[in-house]
Amino acid sequence: MGYAAKMKPFNILFVTQEDPFYVRIFFEEFMRNYPRLGEIKAVVIAPTMGKPSVTALARQMYDFYGAKDFIKVGSKYVYYKARNLLAELLPTSRFFSIRHACEHYKVPVQYTGNINGEEFLSTIRQLNLDLIVSVAAPQVFKSALIAVPRIGCINIHNAKLPKYRGMLPNFWQMYHGEKSVGTSIHRINDKIDDGDILLQKETPIQPGETLDSLIRRTKKIGANMMIEAIEGLKSGLLQPIVNSSAQATYFGFPSKNDVSEFRRKGGRLI
């Protein structure tokens, strides 16, 4: 008898960060296509990029995009924020935040400043969770959090692990001239992007594609992969692949010099 047959209902918790540009696309696609949204106990939103303030986040984004692209992205961010507020008064078929999408699909939303804090852990221990899913979670999962769900925690990472562990992997794959990018769903352990791989696919990079368009495409692909992975975990049919640390490469958040070199090679952010 499979896991799904023995453990019903199947309770899932998502951990993410508020991002109206990209992560929102993942949740729109996932919730549009997942057949049992009642299984989702909550989507938990932690501070964006792990930053304690809007000022710190804006500084990092300015350093990454540069003045011209920062103005474009900043203007779009303000537009999304305004449209999200208006959506509460004037319903729309478009979503401008993760919360907006969740409310449409009647999925609960929670906020926390620390996913590893005892207050948060005490709250989610009461949910009888089977699975926690990280989607761009901005904080590292520690052992106490990993131990909460019955069958563990999983993460989606936009690279073909074990290569390109770390931050902004789509950028680094384009930076190094890869012809395709990977998407991996893997178990979470106490190291970064290190757990066994459950599902993995490659997506060709289109000629002239920007980083922005590539991330948007792979978010939709990743959402449907996540549905496949969850169903596979329920059935017990997934065959894990070792995520070899010996073959791993790791990259942090790109510096100004990294972005300059990316552009020198012909890359475009947006």
PDB file of all heavy atoms in Angstrom, residues 90-110:
ATOM      1  N   LEU A  90     -11.163  46.456  -6.742  1.00  0.00           N
ATOM      2  CA  LEU A  90     -11.639  46.162  -8.088  1.00  0.00           C
ATOM      3  C   LEU A  90     -11.080  44.818  -8.519  1.00  0.00           C
ATOM      4  O   LEU A  90      -9.942  44.722  -8.969  1.00  0.00           O
ATOM      5  CB  LEU A  90     -11.175  47.262  -9.055  1.00  0.00           C
ATOM      6  CG  LEU A  90     -11.612  48.694  -8.724  1.00  0.00           C
ATOM      7  CD1 LEU A  90     -10.913  49.687  -9.638  1.00  0.00           C
ATOM      8  CD2 LEU A  90     -13.126  48.827  -8.850  1.00  0.00           C
ATOM      9  N   PRO A  91     -11.848  43.752  -8.361  1.00  0.00           N
ATOM     10  CA  PRO A  91     -11.356  42.410  -8.705  1.00  0.00           C
ATOM     11  C   PRO A  91     -10.836  42.331 -10.137  1.00  0.00           C
ATOM     12  O   PRO A  91     -11.373  42.960 -11.047  1.00  0.00           O
ATOM     13  CB  PRO A  91     -12.597  41.532  -8.520  1.00  0.00           C
ATOM     14  CG  PRO A  91     -13.448  42.283  -7.547  1.00  0.00           C
ATOM     15  CD  PRO A  91     -13.215  43.739  -7.850  1.00  0.00           C
ATOM     16  N   THR A  92      -9.771  41.574 -10.331  1.00  0.00           N
ATOM     17  CA  THR A  92      -9.149  41.422 -11.640  1.00  0.00           C
ATOM     18  C   THR A  92      -8.733  39.975 -11.838  1.00  0.00           C
ATOM     19  O   THR A  92      -8.515  39.243 -10.861  1.00  0.00           O
ATOM     20  CB  THR A  92      -7.910  42.347 -11.766  1.00  0.00           C
ATOM     21  OG1 THR A  92      -7.234  42.064 -12.993  1.00  0.00           O
ATOM     22  CG2 THR A  92      -6.943  42.118 -10.614  1.00  0.00           C
ATOM     23  N   SER A  93      -8.641  39.567 -13.089  1.00  0.00           N
ATOM     24  CA  SER A  93      -8.232  38.191 -13.387  1.00  0.00           C
ATOM     25  C   SER A  93      -6.714  38.032 -13.325  1.00  0.00           C
ATOM     26  O   SER A  93      -6.200  36.925 -13.359  1.00  0.00           O
ATOM     27  CB  SER A  93      -8.732  37.782 -14.777  1.00  0.00           C
ATOM     28  OG  SER A  93      -8.224  38.659 -15.770  1.00  0.00           O
ATOM     29  N   ARG A  94      -5.990  39.145 -13.236  1.00  0.00           N
ATOM     30  CA  ARG A  94      -4.533  39.098 -13.113  1.00  0.00           C
ATOM     31  C   ARG A  94      -4.143  39.183 -11.642  1.00  0.00           C
ATOM     32  O   ARG A  94      -4.852  39.781 -10.827  1.00  0.00           O
ATOM     33  CB  ARG A  94      -3.879  40.252 -13.871  1.00  0.00           C
ATOM     34  CG  ARG A  94      -3.989  40.159 -15.377  1.00  0.00           C
ATOM     35  CD  ARG A  94      -3.184  41.271 -16.023  1.00  0.00           C
ATOM     36  NE  ARG A  94      -1.762  41.156 -15.680  1.00  0.00           N
ATOM     37  CZ  ARG A  94      -0.873  42.139 -15.897  1.00  0.00           C
ATOM     38  NH1 ARG A  94      -1.267  43.296 -16.414  1.00  0.00           N
ATOM     39  NH2 ARG A  94       0.391  41.969 -15.575  1.00  0.00           N
ATOM     40  N   PHE A  95      -2.979  38.596 -11.310  1.00  0.00           N
ATOM     41  CA  PHE A  95      -2.481  38.622  -9.942  1.00  0.00           C
ATOM     42  C   PHE A  95      -1.205  39.452  -9.880  1.00  0.00           C
ATOM     43  O   PHE A  95      -0.358  39.373 -10.775  1.00  0.00           O
ATOM     44  CB  PHE A  95      -2.209  37.205  -9.442  1.00  0.00           C
ATOM     45  CG  PHE A  95      -3.393  36.281  -9.560  1.00  0.00           C
ATOM     46  CD1 PHE A  95      -3.289  35.086 -10.248  1.00  0.00           C
ATOM     47  CD2 PHE A  95      -4.610  36.623  -9.000  1.00  0.00           C
ATOM     48  CE1 PHE A  95      -4.376  34.239 -10.377  1.00  0.00           C
ATOM     49  CE2 PHE A  95      -5.708  35.788  -9.117  1.00  0.00           C
ATOM     50  CZ  PHE A  95      -5.594  34.588  -9.811  1.00  0.00           C
ATOM     51  N   PHE A  96      -1.059  40.217  -8.808  1.00  0.00           N
ATOM     52  CA  PHE A  96       0.087  41.106  -8.677  1.00  0.00           C
ATOM     53  C   PHE A  96       0.905  40.828  -7.419  1.00  0.00           C
ATOM     54  O   PHE A  96       1.807  41.577  -7.080  1.00  0.00           O
ATOM     55  CB  PHE A  96      -0.382  42.563  -8.711  1.00  0.00           C
ATOM     56  CG  PHE A  96      -1.019  42.933 -10.020  1.00  0.00           C
ATOM     57  CD1 PHE A  96      -2.397  42.852 -10.182  1.00  0.00           C
ATOM     58  CD2 PHE A  96      -0.256  43.318 -11.106  1.00  0.00           C
ATOM     59  CE1 PHE A  96      -2.992  43.163 -11.393  1.00  0.00           C
ATOM     60  CE2 PHE A  96      -0.838  43.633 -12.324  1.00  0.00           C
ATOM     61  CZ  PHE A  96      -2.215  43.556 -12.462  1.00  0.00           C
ATOM     62  N   SER A  97       0.586  39.749  -6.727  1.00  0.00           N
ATOM     63  CA  SER A  97       1.380  39.310  -5.583  1.00  0.00           C
ATOM     64  C   SER A  97       1.048  37.846  -5.316  1.00  0.00           C
ATOM     65  O   SER A  97       0.027  37.332  -5.786  1.00  0.00           O
ATOM     66  CB  SER A  97       1.064  40.138  -4.333  1.00  0.00           C
ATOM     67  OG  SER A  97      -0.249  39.859  -3.866  1.00  0.00           O
ATOM     68  N   ILE A  98       1.900  37.198  -4.555  1.00  0.00           N
ATOM     69  CA  ILE A  98       1.628  35.818  -4.158  1.00  0.00           C
ATOM     70  C   ILE A  98       0.362  35.774  -3.308  1.00  0.00           C
ATOM     71  O   ILE A  98      -0.484  34.890  -3.476  1.00  0.00           O
ATOM     72  CB  ILE A  98       2.829  35.227  -3.400  1.00  0.00           C
ATOM     73  CG1 ILE A  98       4.039  35.131  -4.321  1.00  0.00           C
ATOM     74  CG2 ILE A  98       2.489  33.845  -2.828  1.00  0.00           C
ATOM     75  CD1 ILE A  98       5.328  34.761  -3.607  1.00  0.00           C
ATOM     76  N   ARG A  99       0.238  36.717  -2.397  1.00  0.00           N
ATOM     77  CA  ARG A  99      -0.947  36.738  -1.537  1.00  0.00           C
ATOM     78  C   ARG A  99      -2.225  36.866  -2.363  1.00  0.00           C
ATOM     79  O   ARG A  99      -3.223  36.182  -2.101  1.00  0.00           O
ATOM     80  CB  ARG A  99      -0.854  37.890  -0.536  1.00  0.00           C
ATOM     81  CG  ARG A  99      -2.022  37.925   0.435  1.00  0.00           C
ATOM     82  CD  ARG A  99      -1.977  39.113   1.372  1.00  0.00           C
ATOM     83  NE  ARG A  99      -3.053  38.989   2.346  1.00  0.00           N
ATOM     84  CZ  ARG A  99      -2.922  38.450   3.549  1.00  0.00           C
ATOM     85  NH1 ARG A  99      -1.742  38.002   3.927  1.00  0.00           N
ATOM     86  NH2 ARG A  99      -3.936  38.377   4.376  1.00  0.00           N
ATOM     87  N   HIS A 100      -2.195  37.724  -3.366  1.00  0.00           N
ATOM     88  CA  HIS A 100      -3.355  37.933  -4.232  1.00  0.00           C
ATOM     89  C   HIS A 100      -3.754  36.616  -4.911  1.00  0.00           C
ATOM     90  O   HIS A 100      -4.930  36.242  -4.940  1.00  0.00           O
ATOM     91  CB  HIS A 100      -3.002  39.006  -5.274  1.00  0.00           C
ATOM     92  CG  HIS A 100      -4.147  39.424  -6.128  1.00  0.00           C
ATOM     93  ND1 HIS A 100      -3.987  40.199  -7.249  1.00  0.00           N
ATOM     94  CD2 HIS A 100      -5.486  39.175  -6.044  1.00  0.00           C
ATOM     95  CE1 HIS A 100      -5.159  40.406  -7.817  1.00  0.00           C
ATOM     96  NE2 HIS A 100      -6.083  39.806  -7.098  1.00  0.00           N
ATOM     97  N   ALA A 101      -2.756  35.887  -5.434  1.00  0.00           N
ATOM     98  CA  ALA A 101      -3.037  34.599  -6.078  1.00  0.00           C
ATOM     99  C   ALA A 101      -3.599  33.594  -5.076  1.00  0.00           C
ATOM    100  O   ALA A 101      -4.557  32.865  -5.371  1.00  0.00           O
ATOM    101  CB  ALA A 101      -1.767  34.051  -6.724  1.00  0.00           C
ATOM    102  N   CYS A 102      -2.998  33.552  -3.889  1.00  0.00           N
ATOM    103  CA  CYS A 102      -3.466  32.613  -2.862  1.00  0.00           C
ATOM    104  C   CYS A 102      -4.905  32.906  -2.452  1.00  0.00           C
ATOM    105  O   CYS A 102      -5.716  31.989  -2.276  1.00  0.00           O
ATOM    106  CB  CYS A 102      -2.557  32.678  -1.642  1.00  0.00           C
ATOM    107  SG  CYS A 102      -0.913  31.948  -1.889  1.00  0.00           S
ATOM    108  N   GLU A 103      -5.225  34.177  -2.281  1.00  0.00           N
ATOM    109  CA  GLU A 103      -6.588  34.541  -1.889  1.00  0.00           C
ATOM    110  C   GLU A 103      -7.590  34.112  -2.958  1.00  0.00           C
ATOM    111  O   GLU A 103      -8.686  33.645  -2.634  1.00  0.00           O
ATOM    112  CB  GLU A 103      -6.672  36.046  -1.641  1.00  0.00           C
ATOM    113  CG  GLU A 103      -5.959  36.475  -0.351  1.00  0.00           C
ATOM    114  CD  GLU A 103      -5.943  37.980  -0.169  1.00  0.00           C
ATOM    115  OE1 GLU A 103      -6.244  38.707  -1.152  1.00  0.00           O
ATOM    116  OE2 GLU A 103      -5.610  38.439   0.934  1.00  0.00           O
ATOM    117  N   HIS A 104      -7.208  34.264  -4.210  1.00  0.00           N
ATOM    118  CA  HIS A 104      -8.099  33.854  -5.298  1.00  0.00           C
ATOM    119  C   HIS A 104      -8.404  32.357  -5.227  1.00  0.00           C
ATOM    120  O   HIS A 104      -9.549  31.938  -5.430  1.00  0.00           O
ATOM    121  CB  HIS A 104      -7.474  34.197  -6.645  1.00  0.00           C
ATOM    122  CG  HIS A 104      -8.262  33.704  -7.825  1.00  0.00           C
ATOM    123  ND1 HIS A 104      -9.345  34.391  -8.331  1.00  0.00           N
ATOM    124  CD2 HIS A 104      -8.140  32.572  -8.580  1.00  0.00           C
ATOM    125  CE1 HIS A 104      -9.851  33.722  -9.346  1.00  0.00           C
ATOM    126  NE2 HIS A 104      -9.141  32.604  -9.523  1.00  0.00           N
ATOM    127  N   TYR A 105      -7.363  31.559  -4.923  1.00  0.00           N
ATOM    128  CA  TYR A 105      -7.526  30.102  -4.881  1.00  0.00           C
ATOM    129  C   TYR A 105      -7.868  29.584  -3.478  1.00  0.00           C
ATOM    130  O   TYR A 105      -7.882  28.393  -3.237  1.00  0.00           O
ATOM    131  CB  TYR A 105      -6.254  29.425  -5.398  1.00  0.00           C
ATOM    132  CG  TYR A 105      -6.102  29.557  -6.898  1.00  0.00           C
ATOM    133  CD1 TYR A 105      -5.216  30.479  -7.447  1.00  0.00           C
ATOM    134  CD2 TYR A 105      -6.856  28.767  -7.763  1.00  0.00           C
ATOM    135  CE1 TYR A 105      -5.072  30.598  -8.829  1.00  0.00           C
ATOM    136  CE2 TYR A 105      -6.717  28.886  -9.140  1.00  0.00           C
ATOM    137  CZ  TYR A 105      -5.828  29.802  -9.665  1.00  0.00           C
ATOM    138  OH  TYR A 105      -5.692  29.922 -11.033  1.00  0.00           O
ATOM    139  N   LYS A 106      -8.141  30.526  -2.552  1.00  0.00           N
ATOM    140  CA  LYS A 106      -8.551  30.194  -1.187  1.00  0.00           C
ATOM    141  C   LYS A 106      -7.489  29.356  -0.456  1.00  0.00           C
ATOM    142  O   LYS A 106      -7.807  28.406   0.275  1.00  0.00           O
ATOM    143  CB  LYS A 106      -9.910  29.478  -1.188  1.00  0.00           C
ATOM    144  CG  LYS A 106     -11.034  30.363  -1.725  1.00  0.00           C
ATOM    145  CD  LYS A 106     -12.362  29.654  -1.738  1.00  0.00           C
ATOM    146  CE  LYS A 106     -13.498  30.596  -2.105  1.00  0.00           C
ATOM    147  NZ  LYS A 106     -13.291  31.308  -3.389  1.00  0.00           N
ATOM    148  N   VAL A 107      -6.234  29.720  -0.668  1.00  0.00           N
ATOM    149  CA  VAL A 107      -5.106  29.089   0.022  1.00  0.00           C
ATOM    150  C   VAL A 107      -4.643  30.037   1.132  1.00  0.00           C
ATOM    151  O   VAL A 107      -4.355  31.213   0.864  1.00  0.00           O
ATOM    152  CB  VAL A 107      -3.946  28.806  -0.948  1.00  0.00           C
ATOM    153  CG1 VAL A 107      -2.707  28.328  -0.202  1.00  0.00           C
ATOM    154  CG2 VAL A 107      -4.373  27.772  -1.992  1.00  0.00           C
ATOM    155  N   PRO A 108      -4.578  29.572   2.388  1.00  0.00           N
ATOM    156  CA  PRO A 108      -4.169  30.452   3.491  1.00  0.00           C
ATOM    157  C   PRO A 108      -2.743  30.984   3.323  1.00  0.00           C
ATOM    158  O   PRO A 108      -1.872  30.299   2.769  1.00  0.00           O
ATOM    159  CB  PRO A 108      -4.268  29.545   4.722  1.00  0.00           C
ATOM    160  CG  PRO A 108      -5.171  28.427   4.318  1.00  0.00           C
ATOM    161  CD  PRO A 108      -4.941  28.221   2.847  1.00  0.00           C
ATOM    162  N   VAL A 109      -2.523  32.198   3.808  1.00  0.00           N
ATOM    163  CA  VAL A 109      -1.203  32.834   3.777  1.00  0.00           C
ATOM    164  C   VAL A 109      -0.792  33.186   5.197  1.00  0.00           C
ATOM    165  O   VAL A 109      -1.606  33.670   5.987  1.00  0.00           O
ATOM    166  CB  VAL A 109      -1.219  34.107   2.910  1.00  0.00           C
ATOM    167  CG1 VAL A 109       0.121  34.833   2.975  1.00  0.00           C
ATOM    168  CG2 VAL A 109      -1.553  33.766   1.460  1.00  0.00           C
ATOM    169  N   GLN A 110       0.474  32.913   5.517  1.00  0.00           N
ATOM    170  CA  GLN A 110       1.042  33.311   6.804  1.00  0.00           C
ATOM    171  C   GLN A 110       2.329  34.094   6.547  1.00  0.00           C
ATOM    172  O   GLN A 110       2.976  33.923   5.512  1.00  0.00           O
ATOM    173  CB  GLN A 110       1.367  32.094   7.672  1.00  0.00           C
ATOM    174  CG  GLN A 110       0.186  31.249   8.087  1.00  0.00           C
ATOM    175  CD  GLN A 110       0.608  30.064   8.941  1.00  0.00           C
ATOM    176  OE1 GLN A 110       1.711  30.011   9.482  1.00  0.00           O
ATOM    177  NE2 GLN A 110      -0.281  29.096   9.071  1.00  0.00           N
TER     178      GLN A 110
END
